[in-house]
Amino acid sequence: MDTHDPLIAACGVDFFHHKDAPILTDVSLGIAAGDTIALLGANGSGKSTLFRLLAGVWQPTAGHIELRGSPYRYTRAGRDAVRRSVQLVLQEPDDQIFAISVQADVAYGPTNQGLDKAEIRARTTRAMIDAEITDLADNVPHQLSYGQRKRVALAGALAMQPAVLLLDEPTAGLDPAGGRQLKKTLQRLSSGGTAVVVSTHDVNLAWEVSTRAAVIVDGRLMLGPTGDILTDTELLRRARLEVPWAPFVSQAVGKTITTPQDLL
């Protein structure tokens, strides 16, 4: 586990539903400010489960998770404390959007925290700028395109000013332009100090946006620098993932590419 001043630390976490086989076994993971981590694995491997554990929605069967050195508490007050620092954006935006306007939806979290009107307005405006949806402020969310709704859900999370942002399949259903726009947003957030963890099947997205990659295989987490993890062909085979195009193509052009920066 990376122990460099982690905002969140998962320590020897196991998880299983009653009478089911374990979904996660002895998972340890440290997430520090400014981290960009890609979480990969086959369908049903436990990626969404791990996200719900990190967000404090579910409680580990064994082990524990810490926020800034203090173990999560699974009371209402404890979960509220986690939500102030950790935001989970689900794959399906309609699971999180419910207000009658984009601006009202983005403002819901800060309003629910009881912040004053000036702070709510400032956070809402900043989040819509970061998600590039200021022109949609007065629109009805459910009348927007799928990609626009995903950005509304992202803005709602950003308005909470989280230290850690968990994104579940953020590019799923987006067209190429939407995907490129999202990548720029993630890079901007990370450079500003927000820790971003992206759950994805897209190894090329993982290669482009992350500095570390984590792969779940048989309930266990394999973590390391992106260039090491995503060029480990045996690990990717076991996880039913493909090698990213960049190191694969490098063999044809005769240039060794072991990190995303080698493309620059």
Side-chain angles (χ1 to χ4, degrees), residues 96-117:
Q96 292 182 273
I97 295 173
F98 56 87
I100 60 173
S101 75
V102 167
Q103 183 167 307
D105 202 277
V106 176
Y108 175 80
T111 301
N112 199 45
Q113 280 189 294
L115 302 176
D116 64 56
K117 290 183 179 179

Side-chain angles (χ1 to χ4, degrees), residues 28-264:
S28 293
L29 171 67
I31 304 171
D35 267 349
T36 52
I37 301 173
L39 177 64
L40 302 106
N43 283 335
S45 62
K47 301 189 301 298
S48 294
T49 296
L50 180 56
F51 265 13
R52 284 169 171 77
L53 291 167
L54 294 174
V57 178
W58 291 346
Q59 184 172 355
T61 306
H64 68 280
I65 302 175
E66 299 176 352
L67 175 63
R68 297 185 177 91
S70 297
Y72 281 16
R73 293 180 296 113
Y74 297 93
T75 61
R76 180 173 179 177
R79 286 188 166 95
D80 285 345
V82 172
R83 289 191 192 103
R84 285 193 289 272
S85 293
V86 184
Q87 283 288 301
L88 169 61
V89 180
L90 301 173
Q91 178 177 346
E92 290 300 326
D94 293 339
D95 291 341
Q96 292 182 273
I97 295 173
F98 56 87
I100 60 173
S101 75
V102 167
Q103 183 167 307
D105 202 277
V106 176
Y108 175 80
T111 301
N112 199 45
Q113 280 189 294
L115 302 176
D116 64 56
K117 290 183 179 179
E119 178 68 12
I120 293 169
R121 185 164 53 251
R123 288 191 180 203
T124 301
T125 300
R126 180 74 256 170
M128 290 194 296
I129 291 171
D130 286 341
E132 300 182 23
I133 57 168
T134 53
D135 58 324
L136 303 176
D138 297 325
N139 289 55
V140 178
H142 291 291
Q143 294 177 354
L144 299 176
S145 71
Y146 184 78
Q148 289 171 327
R149 298 199 307 275
K150 292 199 81 152
R151 298 192 76 82
V152 172
L154 173 61
L158 294 178
M160 295 293 287
Q161 297 185 348
V164 180
L165 186 62
L166 308 173
L167 302 176
D168 194 0
E169 298 289 351
T171 58
L174 297 185
D175 59 23
R180 288 192 297 272
Q181 188 179 40
L182 179 65
K183 291 172 192 175
K184 291 179 181 178
T185 300
L186 299 185
Q187 289 163 351
R188 185 168 64 248
L189 291 170
S190 177
S191 65
T194 302
V196 178
V197 186
V198 177
S199 171
T200 183
H201 290 97
D202 186 344
V203 292
N204 295 305
L205 172 68
W207 180 273
E208 291 179 43
V209 304
S210 68
T211 56
R212 288 191 292 155
V215 177
I216 300 178
V217 181
D218 299 328
R220 295 185 178 275
L221 190 77
M222 311 297 176
L223 175 69
T226 297
D228 293 344
I229 294 293
L230 295 188
T231 55
D232 186 335
T233 55
E234 175 59 22
L235 174 61
L236 296 179
R237 183 194 65 77
R238 290 171 54 209
R240 292 185 286 172
L241 297 169
E242 297 180 348
V243 175
W245 68 266
F248 182 80
V249 171
S250 72
Q251 297 178 9
V253 300
K255 179 180 179 181
T256 300
I257 300 176
T258 57
T259 73
Q261 289 70 35
D262 290 335
L263 290 172
L264 303 177

